[in-house]
Amino acid sequence: MTSFAPDSIVLNRKLPLWYQVSQSLRASILGRSPRDPLRLPTEEQLAGHYGVSVLTMRQALKELEDEGLITRHRRRGTFIEPGALRGAPVRLLGSVDAIVAQQSGMTTELLEHGTAPVPAELAEYFPGLAETAAYHRLRSDEKTGEPTNHARNYVRPELADRIDLEDLRRWPMTKVLRDVAGADISRITDTVEARLADPETARLLRVPLLSPILHYTGITYDTDGEPLDVAVIHYRGDRFSFTVTLEAT
């Protein structure tokens, strides 16, 4: 039986290795094609793939097993759970792969794309630019078809030629920028606020007007400290939660 092939990752030695591996593997699982096999490689093979010890790999797999994304069977192997819930909270410890994992696992419809004026409230992130490449997507639960969030991304124009629209239907913008467009991401700054659904959000997410939503703004920076992408996402308040864990070092 052919095994599922996870993406590669460059590990950051300042963060727990098991955590980085679990988030990278989680993103790979949630972004997989329906044609991909469900069986994972062995612990030893995965450890070699990520360049970590078997003990570290075992800890990473336990995290995914506790979340319900995988099941482990003695002598048979480890398998992706095809019916796993995708809206579980994600622990954010500072890894870009955690952001990718949080955004993965939804059916995505590309509503609009093209050039657009820089919104006044985002002008500080794009000094000197009148327009950006803009993408508007609606994400829905894979099983129920219920809308869960809609996202607008404003990307520096020079990156637009390297963005394939089909990739955006499958993967989060963060992954496309890093792994496809080759952007050198250094950090992402997230802000989450409680707001009330405006008419457009209420229509797209099929919720009552003025119902609670989570308003997320994510700024992705390159190694020179310049913003590459600003994501503005509206999440249904009854479907998402954000958990940040601070651990002593």
PDB file of all heavy atoms in Angstrom, residues 41-74:
ATOM      1  N   PRO A  41       3.476   6.965   6.468  1.00  0.00           N
ATOM      2  CA  PRO A  41       4.711   6.187   6.597  1.00  0.00           C
ATOM      3  C   PRO A  41       4.917   5.751   8.051  1.00  0.00           C
ATOM      4  O   PRO A  41       4.248   6.249   8.966  1.00  0.00           O
ATOM      5  CB  PRO A  41       5.796   7.180   6.154  1.00  0.00           C
ATOM      6  CG  PRO A  41       5.076   8.192   5.324  1.00  0.00           C
ATOM      7  CD  PRO A  41       3.708   8.309   5.922  1.00  0.00           C
ATOM      8  N   THR A  42       5.834   4.857   8.277  1.00  0.00           N
ATOM      9  CA  THR A  42       6.125   4.400   9.636  1.00  0.00           C
ATOM     10  C   THR A  42       6.737   5.532  10.466  1.00  0.00           C
ATOM     11  O   THR A  42       7.192   6.544   9.923  1.00  0.00           O
ATOM     12  CB  THR A  42       7.103   3.221   9.615  1.00  0.00           C
ATOM     13  OG1 THR A  42       8.375   3.688   9.114  1.00  0.00           O
ATOM     14  CG2 THR A  42       6.579   2.084   8.737  1.00  0.00           C
ATOM     15  N   GLU A  43       6.757   5.331  11.783  1.00  0.00           N
ATOM     16  CA  GLU A  43       7.385   6.318  12.665  1.00  0.00           C
ATOM     17  C   GLU A  43       8.829   6.572  12.253  1.00  0.00           C
ATOM     18  O   GLU A  43       9.295   7.722  12.233  1.00  0.00           O
ATOM     19  CB  GLU A  43       7.351   5.833  14.113  1.00  0.00           C
ATOM     20  CG  GLU A  43       5.994   5.889  14.772  1.00  0.00           C
ATOM     21  CD  GLU A  43       6.052   5.425  16.216  1.00  0.00           C
ATOM     22  OE1 GLU A  43       7.135   4.951  16.649  1.00  0.00           O
ATOM     23  OE2 GLU A  43       5.037   5.541  16.925  1.00  0.00           O
ATOM     24  N   GLU A  44       9.548   5.501  11.946  1.00  0.00           N
ATOM     25  CA  GLU A  44      10.954   5.628  11.568  1.00  0.00           C
ATOM     26  C   GLU A  44      11.098   6.417  10.272  1.00  0.00           C
ATOM     27  O   GLU A  44      11.985   7.270  10.130  1.00  0.00           O
ATOM     28  CB  GLU A  44      11.597   4.251  11.425  1.00  0.00           C
ATOM     29  CG  GLU A  44      11.766   3.484  12.728  1.00  0.00           C
ATOM     30  CD  GLU A  44      10.465   2.868  13.227  1.00  0.00           C
ATOM     31  OE1 GLU A  44       9.457   2.859  12.457  1.00  0.00           O
ATOM     32  OE2 GLU A  44      10.441   2.401  14.381  1.00  0.00           O
ATOM     33  N   GLN A  45      10.228   6.136   9.294  1.00  0.00           N
ATOM     34  CA  GLN A  45      10.292   6.857   8.025  1.00  0.00           C
ATOM     35  C   GLN A  45       9.944   8.331   8.202  1.00  0.00           C
ATOM     36  O   GLN A  45      10.595   9.211   7.623  1.00  0.00           O
ATOM     37  CB  GLN A  45       9.341   6.208   7.014  1.00  0.00           C
ATOM     38  CG  GLN A  45       9.798   4.837   6.540  1.00  0.00           C
ATOM     39  CD  GLN A  45       8.726   4.116   5.742  1.00  0.00           C
ATOM     40  OE1 GLN A  45       7.527   4.319   5.948  1.00  0.00           O
ATOM     41  NE2 GLN A  45       9.155   3.241   4.830  1.00  0.00           N
ATOM     42  N   LEU A  46       8.935   8.623   9.012  1.00  0.00           N
ATOM     43  CA  LEU A  46       8.560  10.010   9.264  1.00  0.00           C
ATOM     44  C   LEU A  46       9.668  10.753  10.017  1.00  0.00           C
ATOM     45  O   LEU A  46       9.966  11.908   9.725  1.00  0.00           O
ATOM     46  CB  LEU A  46       7.255  10.065  10.063  1.00  0.00           C
ATOM     47  CG  LEU A  46       5.970   9.757   9.280  1.00  0.00           C
ATOM     48  CD1 LEU A  46       4.789   9.624  10.233  1.00  0.00           C
ATOM     49  CD2 LEU A  46       5.689  10.843   8.246  1.00  0.00           C
ATOM     50  N   ALA A  47      10.265  10.071  10.993  1.00  0.00           N
ATOM     51  CA  ALA A  47      11.362  10.683  11.740  1.00  0.00           C
ATOM     52  C   ALA A  47      12.517  11.041  10.803  1.00  0.00           C
ATOM     53  O   ALA A  47      13.115  12.125  10.903  1.00  0.00           O
ATOM     54  CB  ALA A  47      11.836   9.746  12.846  1.00  0.00           C
ATOM     55  N   GLY A  48      12.834  10.147   9.867  1.00  0.00           N
ATOM     56  CA  GLY A  48      13.872  10.425   8.892  1.00  0.00           C
ATOM     57  C   GLY A  48      13.493  11.566   7.963  1.00  0.00           C
ATOM     58  O   GLY A  48      14.330  12.397   7.595  1.00  0.00           O
ATOM     59  N   HIS A  49      12.233  11.612   7.576  1.00  0.00           N
ATOM     60  CA  HIS A  49      11.748  12.671   6.683  1.00  0.00           C
ATOM     61  C   HIS A  49      11.923  14.045   7.327  1.00  0.00           C
ATOM     62  O   HIS A  49      12.346  15.008   6.670  1.00  0.00           O
ATOM     63  CB  HIS A  49      10.277  12.417   6.354  1.00  0.00           C
ATOM     64  CG  HIS A  49       9.624  13.510   5.558  1.00  0.00           C
ATOM     65  ND1 HIS A  49       9.812  13.651   4.205  1.00  0.00           N
ATOM     66  CD2 HIS A  49       8.796  14.507   5.936  1.00  0.00           C
ATOM     67  CE1 HIS A  49       9.121  14.698   3.771  1.00  0.00           C
ATOM     68  NE2 HIS A  49       8.492  15.232   4.806  1.00  0.00           N
ATOM     69  N   TYR A  50      11.578  14.148   8.625  1.00  0.00           N
ATOM     70  CA  TYR A  50      11.640  15.436   9.316  1.00  0.00           C
ATOM     71  C   TYR A  50      12.993  15.693   9.980  1.00  0.00           C
ATOM     72  O   TYR A  50      13.236  16.802  10.465  1.00  0.00           O
ATOM     73  CB  TYR A  50      10.528  15.522  10.364  1.00  0.00           C
ATOM     74  CG  TYR A  50       9.149  15.714   9.773  1.00  0.00           C
ATOM     75  CD1 TYR A  50       8.186  14.713   9.824  1.00  0.00           C
ATOM     76  CD2 TYR A  50       8.806  16.921   9.157  1.00  0.00           C
ATOM     77  CE1 TYR A  50       6.923  14.893   9.287  1.00  0.00           C
ATOM     78  CE2 TYR A  50       7.546  17.111   8.616  1.00  0.00           C
ATOM     79  CZ  TYR A  50       6.608  16.095   8.684  1.00  0.00           C
ATOM     80  OH  TYR A  50       5.365  16.291   8.144  1.00  0.00           O
ATOM     81  N   GLY A  51      13.847  14.670  10.037  1.00  0.00           N
ATOM     82  CA  GLY A  51      15.150  14.851  10.664  1.00  0.00           C
ATOM     83  C   GLY A  51      15.084  14.953  12.172  1.00  0.00           C
ATOM     84  O   GLY A  51      15.831  15.736  12.783  1.00  0.00           O
ATOM     85  N   VAL A  52      14.185  14.182  12.805  1.00  0.00           N
ATOM     86  CA  VAL A  52      14.040  14.187  14.260  1.00  0.00           C
ATOM     87  C   VAL A  52      14.151  12.753  14.769  1.00  0.00           C
ATOM     88  O   VAL A  52      14.177  11.797  13.990  1.00  0.00           O
ATOM     89  CB  VAL A  52      12.684  14.792  14.700  1.00  0.00           C
ATOM     90  CG1 VAL A  52      12.587  16.249  14.258  1.00  0.00           C
ATOM     91  CG2 VAL A  52      11.508  13.995  14.132  1.00  0.00           C
ATOM     92  N   SER A  53      14.187  12.607  16.080  1.00  0.00           N
ATOM     93  CA  SER A  53      14.247  11.276  16.666  1.00  0.00           C
ATOM     94  C   SER A  53      12.888  10.600  16.600  1.00  0.00           C
ATOM     95  O   SER A  53      11.851  11.265  16.452  1.00  0.00           O
ATOM     96  CB  SER A  53      14.700  11.358  18.124  1.00  0.00           C
ATOM     97  OG  SER A  53      13.692  11.968  18.919  1.00  0.00           O
ATOM     98  N   VAL A  54      12.889   9.280  16.733  1.00  0.00           N
ATOM     99  CA  VAL A  54      11.629   8.526  16.750  1.00  0.00           C
ATOM    100  C   VAL A  54      10.786   8.952  17.944  1.00  0.00           C
ATOM    101  O   VAL A  54       9.560   9.033  17.850  1.00  0.00           O
ATOM    102  CB  VAL A  54      11.911   7.011  16.782  1.00  0.00           C
ATOM    103  CG1 VAL A  54      10.617   6.229  16.995  1.00  0.00           C
ATOM    104  CG2 VAL A  54      12.576   6.567  15.477  1.00  0.00           C
ATOM    105  N   LEU A  55      11.421   9.253  19.076  1.00  0.00           N
ATOM    106  CA  LEU A  55      10.687   9.691  20.264  1.00  0.00           C
ATOM    107  C   LEU A  55       9.966  11.011  20.003  1.00  0.00           C
ATOM    108  O   LEU A  55       8.801  11.188  20.379  1.00  0.00           O
ATOM    109  CB  LEU A  55      11.656   9.835  21.442  1.00  0.00           C
ATOM    110  CG  LEU A  55      11.019  10.162  22.796  1.00  0.00           C
ATOM    111  CD1 LEU A  55      10.082   9.041  23.228  1.00  0.00           C
ATOM    112  CD2 LEU A  55      12.099  10.388  23.847  1.00  0.00           C
ATOM    113  N   THR A  56      10.642  11.942  19.337  1.00  0.00           N
ATOM    114  CA  THR A  56      10.011  13.216  18.979  1.00  0.00           C
ATOM    115  C   THR A  56       8.861  12.987  18.020  1.00  0.00           C
ATOM    116  O   THR A  56       7.779  13.590  18.148  1.00  0.00           O
ATOM    117  CB  THR A  56      11.049  14.160  18.341  1.00  0.00           C
ATOM    118  OG1 THR A  56      12.050  14.477  19.301  1.00  0.00           O
ATOM    119  CG2 THR A  56      10.404  15.448  17.852  1.00  0.00           C
ATOM    120  N   MET A  57       9.067  12.096  17.035  1.00  0.00           N
ATOM    121  CA  MET A  57       8.014  11.805  16.068  1.00  0.00           C
ATOM    122  C   MET A  57       6.809  11.176  16.751  1.00  0.00           C
ATOM    123  O   MET A  57       5.658  11.496  16.438  1.00  0.00           O
ATOM    124  CB  MET A  57       8.560  10.852  15.001  1.00  0.00           C
ATOM    125  CG  MET A  57       7.674  10.736  13.776  1.00  0.00           C
ATOM    126  SD  MET A  57       7.587  12.280  12.838  1.00  0.00           S
ATOM    127  CE  MET A  57       5.822  12.584  12.895  1.00  0.00           C
ATOM    128  N   ARG A  58       7.060  10.326  17.718  1.00  0.00           N
ATOM    129  CA  ARG A  58       5.980   9.664  18.444  1.00  0.00           C
ATOM    130  C   ARG A  58       5.137  10.690  19.206  1.00  0.00           C
ATOM    131  O   ARG A  58       3.905  10.595  19.257  1.00  0.00           O
ATOM    132  CB  ARG A  58       6.585   8.633  19.395  1.00  0.00           C
ATOM    133  CG  ARG A  58       5.609   7.620  19.953  1.00  0.00           C
ATOM    134  CD  ARG A  58       6.366   6.485  20.616  1.00  0.00           C
ATOM    135  NE  ARG A  58       7.116   5.712  19.637  1.00  0.00           N
ATOM    136  CZ  ARG A  58       8.171   4.961  19.933  1.00  0.00           C
ATOM    137  NH1 ARG A  58       8.614   4.891  21.181  1.00  0.00           N
ATOM    138  NH2 ARG A  58       8.779   4.272  18.989  1.00  0.00           N
ATOM    139  N   GLN A  59       5.807  11.672  19.794  1.00  0.00           N
ATOM    140  CA  GLN A  59       5.095  12.721  20.522  1.00  0.00           C
ATOM    141  C   GLN A  59       4.246  13.566  19.572  1.00  0.00           C
ATOM    142  O   GLN A  59       3.118  13.954  19.892  1.00  0.00           O
ATOM    143  CB  GLN A  59       6.096  13.608  21.271  1.00  0.00           C
ATOM    144  CG  GLN A  59       5.455  14.604  22.223  1.00  0.00           C
ATOM    145  CD  GLN A  59       6.492  15.367  23.034  1.00  0.00           C
ATOM    146  OE1 GLN A  59       7.695  15.190  22.841  1.00  0.00           O
ATOM    147  NE2 GLN A  59       6.033  16.212  23.939  1.00  0.00           N
ATOM    148  N   ALA A  60       4.789  13.853  18.384  1.00  0.00           N
ATOM    149  CA  ALA A  60       4.034  14.622  17.392  1.00  0.00           C
ATOM    150  C   ALA A  60       2.799  13.854  16.927  1.00  0.00           C
ATOM    151  O   ALA A  60       1.713  14.428  16.781  1.00  0.00           O
ATOM    152  CB  ALA A  60       4.935  14.946  16.203  1.00  0.00           C
ATOM    153  N   LEU A  61       2.953  12.557  16.700  1.00  0.00           N
ATOM    154  CA  LEU A  61       1.821  11.740  16.262  1.00  0.00           C
ATOM    155  C   LEU A  61       0.751  11.636  17.343  1.00  0.00           C
ATOM    156  O   LEU A  61      -0.445  11.603  17.042  1.00  0.00           O
ATOM    157  CB  LEU A  61       2.311  10.348  15.858  1.00  0.00           C
ATOM    158  CG  LEU A  61       3.145  10.281  14.570  1.00  0.00           C
ATOM    159  CD1 LEU A  61       3.726   8.891  14.387  1.00  0.00           C
ATOM    160  CD2 LEU A  61       2.317  10.678  13.354  1.00  0.00           C
ATOM    161  N   LYS A  62       1.184  11.592  18.601  1.00  0.00           N
ATOM    162  CA  LYS A  62       0.215  11.528  19.694  1.00  0.00           C
ATOM    163  C   LYS A  62      -0.652  12.771  19.719  1.00  0.00           C
ATOM    164  O   LYS A  62      -1.861  12.716  19.985  1.00  0.00           O
ATOM    165  CB  LYS A  62       0.914  11.356  21.036  1.00  0.00           C
ATOM    166  CG  LYS A  62      -0.057  11.171  22.210  1.00  0.00           C
ATOM    167  CD  LYS A  62       0.658  10.974  23.511  1.00  0.00           C
ATOM    168  CE  LYS A  62      -0.338  10.673  24.627  1.00  0.00           C
ATOM    169  NZ  LYS A  62      -1.380  11.729  24.761  1.00  0.00           N
ATOM    170  N   GLU A  63      -0.039  13.938  19.426  1.00  0.00           N
ATOM    171  CA  GLU A  63      -0.800  15.188  19.367  1.00  0.00           C
ATOM    172  C   GLU A  63      -1.908  15.092  18.314  1.00  0.00           C
ATOM    173  O   GLU A  63      -3.059  15.479  18.559  1.00  0.00           O
ATOM    174  CB  GLU A  63       0.153  16.340  19.036  1.00  0.00           C
ATOM    175  CG  GLU A  63      -0.506  17.697  18.904  1.00  0.00           C
ATOM    176  CD  GLU A  63      -0.680  18.378  20.251  1.00  0.00           C
ATOM    177  OE1 GLU A  63      -0.363  17.781  21.284  1.00  0.00           O
ATOM    178  OE2 GLU A  63      -1.158  19.526  20.244  1.00  0.00           O
ATOM    179  N   LEU A  64      -1.589  14.553  17.143  1.00  0.00           N
ATOM    180  CA  LEU A  64      -2.572  14.433  16.072  1.00  0.00           C
ATOM    181  C   LEU A  64      -3.605  13.353  16.385  1.00  0.00           C
ATOM    182  O   LEU A  64      -4.777  13.479  16.012  1.00  0.00           O
ATOM    183  CB  LEU A  64      -1.870  14.135  14.752  1.00  0.00           C
ATOM    184  CG  LEU A  64      -0.870  15.192  14.270  1.00  0.00           C
ATOM    185  CD1 LEU A  64      -0.271  14.784  12.939  1.00  0.00           C
ATOM    186  CD2 LEU A  64      -1.518  16.559  14.176  1.00  0.00           C
ATOM    187  N   GLU A  65      -3.163  12.300  17.071  1.00  0.00           N
ATOM    188  CA  GLU A  65      -4.101  11.250  17.470  1.00  0.00           C
ATOM    189  C   GLU A  65      -5.095  11.782  18.498  1.00  0.00           C
ATOM    190  O   GLU A  65      -6.303  11.504  18.413  1.00  0.00           O
ATOM    191  CB  GLU A  65      -3.335  10.063  18.042  1.00  0.00           C
ATOM    192  CG  GLU A  65      -4.226   8.884  18.391  1.00  0.00           C
ATOM    193  CD  GLU A  65      -3.428   7.711  18.942  1.00  0.00           C
ATOM    194  OE1 GLU A  65      -2.334   7.943  19.511  1.00  0.00           O
ATOM    195  OE2 GLU A  65      -3.900   6.577  18.824  1.00  0.00           O
ATOM    196  N   ASP A  66      -4.610  12.569  19.455  1.00  0.00           N
ATOM    197  CA  ASP A  66      -5.503  13.148  20.466  1.00  0.00           C
ATOM    198  C   ASP A  66      -6.526  14.077  19.831  1.00  0.00           C
ATOM    199  O   ASP A  66      -7.645  14.207  20.313  1.00  0.00           O
ATOM    200  CB  ASP A  66      -4.690  13.908  21.513  1.00  0.00           C
ATOM    201  CG  ASP A  66      -3.864  12.992  22.408  1.00  0.00           C
ATOM    202  OD1 ASP A  66      -4.138  11.770  22.418  1.00  0.00           O
ATOM    203  OD2 ASP A  66      -2.946  13.491  23.086  1.00  0.00           O
ATOM    204  N   GLU A  67      -6.131  14.732  18.731  1.00  0.00           N
ATOM    205  CA  GLU A  67      -7.039  15.638  18.035  1.00  0.00           C
ATOM    206  C   GLU A  67      -8.043  14.884  17.166  1.00  0.00           C
ATOM    207  O   GLU A  67      -9.055  15.439  16.754  1.00  0.00           O
ATOM    208  CB  GLU A  67      -6.220  16.600  17.167  1.00  0.00           C
ATOM    209  CG  GLU A  67      -7.026  17.718  16.549  1.00  0.00           C
ATOM    210  CD  GLU A  67      -6.175  18.647  15.706  1.00  0.00           C
ATOM    211  OE1 GLU A  67      -4.981  18.797  16.012  1.00  0.00           O
ATOM    212  OE2 GLU A  67      -6.715  19.204  14.719  1.00  0.00           O
ATOM    213  N   GLY A  68      -7.763  13.608  16.881  1.00  0.00           N
ATOM    214  CA  GLY A  68      -8.661  12.815  16.057  1.00  0.00           C
ATOM    215  C   GLY A  68      -8.371  12.846  14.589  1.00  0.00           C
ATOM    216  O   GLY A  68      -9.180  12.384  13.776  1.00  0.00           O
ATOM    217  N   LEU A  69      -7.188  13.373  14.199  1.00  0.00           N
ATOM    218  CA  LEU A  69      -6.837  13.433  12.780  1.00  0.00           C
ATOM    219  C   LEU A  69      -6.271  12.122  12.268  1.00  0.00           C
ATOM    220  O   LEU A  69      -6.327  11.846  11.066  1.00  0.00           O
ATOM    221  CB  LEU A  69      -5.821  14.550  12.531  1.00  0.00           C
ATOM    222  CG  LEU A  69      -6.365  15.972  12.471  1.00  0.00           C
ATOM    223  CD1 LEU A  69      -5.238  16.951  12.233  1.00  0.00           C
ATOM    224  CD2 LEU A  69      -7.413  16.115  11.394  1.00  0.00           C
ATOM    225  N   ILE A  70      -5.698  11.320  13.158  1.00  0.00           N
ATOM    226  CA  ILE A  70      -5.124  10.038  12.756  1.00  0.00           C
ATOM    227  C   ILE A  70      -5.551   8.958  13.742  1.00  0.00           C
ATOM    228  O   ILE A  70      -5.946   9.250  14.877  1.00  0.00           O
ATOM    229  CB  ILE A  70      -3.572  10.084  12.689  1.00  0.00           C
ATOM    230  CG1 ILE A  70      -2.985  10.389  14.073  1.00  0.00           C
ATOM    231  CG2 ILE A  70      -3.106  11.097  11.657  1.00  0.00           C
ATOM    232  CD1 ILE A  70      -1.462  10.297  14.131  1.00  0.00           C
ATOM    233  N   THR A  71      -5.484   7.713  13.291  1.00  0.00           N
ATOM    234  CA  THR A  71      -5.694   6.561  14.164  1.00  0.00           C
ATOM    235  C   THR A  71      -4.499   5.631  14.001  1.00  0.00           C
ATOM    236  O   THR A  71      -3.939   5.500  12.912  1.00  0.00           O
ATOM    237  CB  THR A  71      -6.986   5.809  13.823  1.00  0.00           C
ATOM    238  OG1 THR A  71      -6.963   5.448  12.426  1.00  0.00           O
ATOM    239  CG2 THR A  71      -8.209   6.666  14.096  1.00  0.00           C
ATOM    240  N   ARG A  72      -4.101   4.989  15.093  1.00  0.00           N
ATOM    241  CA  ARG A  72      -2.918   4.132  15.085  1.00  0.00           C
ATOM    242  C   ARG A  72      -3.344   2.716  15.451  1.00  0.00           C
ATOM    243  O   ARG A  72      -4.053   2.500  16.435  1.00  0.00           O
ATOM    244  CB  ARG A  72      -1.879   4.670  16.059  1.00  0.00           C
ATOM    245  CG  ARG A  72      -1.621   6.160  15.837  1.00  0.00           C
ATOM    246  CD  ARG A  72      -0.576   6.710  16.784  1.00  0.00           C
ATOM    247  NE  ARG A  72       0.746   6.277  16.362  1.00  0.00           N
ATOM    248  CZ  ARG A  72       1.843   6.510  17.075  1.00  0.00           C
ATOM    249  NH1 ARG A  72       1.773   7.126  18.243  1.00  0.00           N
ATOM    250  NH2 ARG A  72       3.013   6.112  16.626  1.00  0.00           N
ATOM    251  N   HIS A  73      -2.915   1.754  14.635  1.00  0.00           N
ATOM    252  CA  HIS A  73      -3.299   0.358  14.823  1.00  0.00           C
ATOM    253  C   HIS A  73      -2.031  -0.494  14.953  1.00  0.00           C
ATOM    254  O   HIS A  73      -1.156  -0.440  14.079  1.00  0.00           O
ATOM    255  CB  HIS A  73      -4.142  -0.134  13.646  1.00  0.00           C
ATOM    256  CG  HIS A  73      -5.373   0.687  13.404  1.00  0.00           C
ATOM    257  ND1 HIS A  73      -6.546   0.496  14.084  1.00  0.00           N
ATOM    258  CD2 HIS A  73      -5.597   1.732  12.545  1.00  0.00           C
ATOM    259  CE1 HIS A  73      -7.451   1.381  13.661  1.00  0.00           C
ATOM    260  NE2 HIS A  73      -6.898   2.130  12.724  1.00  0.00           N
ATOM    261  N   ARG A  74      -1.974  -1.225  16.023  1.00  0.00           N
ATOM    262  CA  ARG A  74      -0.813  -2.079  16.257  1.00  0.00           C
ATOM    263  C   ARG A  74      -0.631  -3.058  15.102  1.00  0.00           C
ATOM    264  O   ARG A  74      -1.562  -3.733  14.689  1.00  0.00           O
ATOM    265  CB  ARG A  74      -1.003  -2.837  17.582  1.00  0.00           C
ATOM    266  CG  ARG A  74       0.228  -3.613  18.029  1.00  0.00           C
ATOM    267  CD  ARG A  74      -0.045  -4.247  19.390  1.00  0.00           C
ATOM    268  NE  ARG A  74       1.099  -5.004  19.860  1.00  0.00           N
ATOM    269  CZ  ARG A  74       2.130  -4.488  20.507  1.00  0.00           C
ATOM    270  NH1 ARG A  74       2.140  -3.185  20.782  1.00  0.00           N
ATOM    271  NH2 ARG A  74       3.140  -5.236  20.910  1.00  0.00           N
TER     272      ARG A  74
END
